[in-house]
């Protein structure tokens, strides 16, 4: 459920949001001046709360297994930061609105823009760390066979998409174009959602084997 709520941004495809998905940040869909902003803020909040709630019990039960503790802690950070993201929305869309971009560069936007950048960074760092650490845990400890088999492919794709997104963000911030920023970020988020669904599918199998 958390993965599906986190992927609510895909409804932008059949809807006219006014934002170009190849260049806009996904978080711009939730900006306070966007027509569907309230919807995307609500789905982000729901996703964050569900992911945090899902991560805490296995984190407490992980014992001293380094990769498991790291992975579940990172997933909890991902959930908490995603929930915080929803409460710290952008006021406008800088990739689509030149005036918004100029105001942001001049420091004339609300403080939520800076706070949102921090919470978004924490969310993605938590997501990528969880993808890597729990996949390593699955293989090292002999857990969650579906994740152990397929996870490494998703890890490689996620790291590639993250590198693409970071390079595009750096180019945009330096005024060198957008580098298909929106496409890279959407691929990145979609891979995280697919990995979360794979993790959810894998966990009951391990529980069943223990029983």
């Amino acid at each position: 459920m958390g993965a599906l709520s986190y992927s609510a941004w895909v409804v932008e495809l059949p809807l006219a949001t006014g934002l170009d998905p190849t260049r806009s940040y996904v978080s711009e869909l939730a900006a306070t001046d966007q027509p569907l902003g309230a919807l995307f803020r609500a789905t982000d909040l729901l996703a964050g709360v569900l992911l945090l709630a899902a991560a805490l019990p296995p984190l407490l039960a992980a014992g001293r297994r380094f990769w498991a503790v790291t992975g579940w802690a990172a997933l909890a950070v991902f959930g908490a930061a995603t929930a915080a993201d929803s409460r710290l929305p952008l006021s406008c869309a800088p990739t689509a609105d030149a005036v918004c971009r100029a105001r942001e560069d001049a420091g004339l936007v609300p403080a939520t823009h800076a706070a949102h950048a921090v919470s978004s960074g924490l969310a993605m760092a938590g997501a990528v760390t969880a993808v890597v650490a729990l996949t390593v845990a699955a293989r090292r400890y002999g857990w969650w066979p579906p994740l152990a088999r397929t996870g490494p492919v998703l890890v490689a794709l996620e790291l590639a998409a993250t590198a693409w997104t970071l390079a595009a963000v750096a180019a945009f911030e330096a005024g060198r174009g957008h580098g298909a920023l929106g496409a890279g970020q959407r691929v990145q988020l979609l891979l995280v959602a697919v990995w979360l669904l794979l993790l959810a599918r894998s966990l009951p199998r391990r529980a069943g084997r223990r029983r």
Side-chain angles (χ1 to χ4, degrees), residues 126-156:
V128 173
T129 301
V131 167
V132 173
L134 289 178
T135 300
V136 172
R139 295 180 66 82
R140 175 160 295 191
Y141 307 139
W143 296 349
W144 319 318
L147 182 61
R149 288 193 303 269
T150 309
V153 175
L154 293 176
V155 167

Side-chain angles (χ1 to χ4, degrees), residues 44-94:
D44 276 354
L45 177 61
L46 177 61
V49 170
L50 290 174
L51 291 171
L52 178 59
L56 289 179
L59 172 61
L60 296 175
R64 296 183 178 181
R65 294 183 183 270
F66 173 79
W67 291 106
V69 171
T70 300
W72 290 119
L75 191 63
V77 170
F78 174 37
T82 298
D85 245 6
S86 72
R87 303 301 90 190
L88 300 167
L90 300 173
S91 63
C92 53

Side-chain angles (χ1 to χ4, degrees), residues 2 26 36 57 74 83 95 100 109 114 128 132 138 141 143 155 175 181 189 199 205:
V26 171
L36 298 176
T95 64
C100 175
V109 290
V128 173
V132 173
Y141 307 139
W143 296 349
V155 167
L181 163 62
L189 298 184
L199 175 65
R205 294 193 172 200

Side-chain angles (χ1 to χ4, degrees), residues 7 13 27 36 44 97 103-104 110 117 123 125 133 141-142 153 178 182 184 188 193 210:
S7 303
L13 299 178
S27 57
L36 298 176
D44 276 354
D97 184 346
R103 291 177 58 234
E104 195 173 63
Y141 307 139
V153 175
H178 58 82
Q188 184 187 35
R210 282 186 166 183

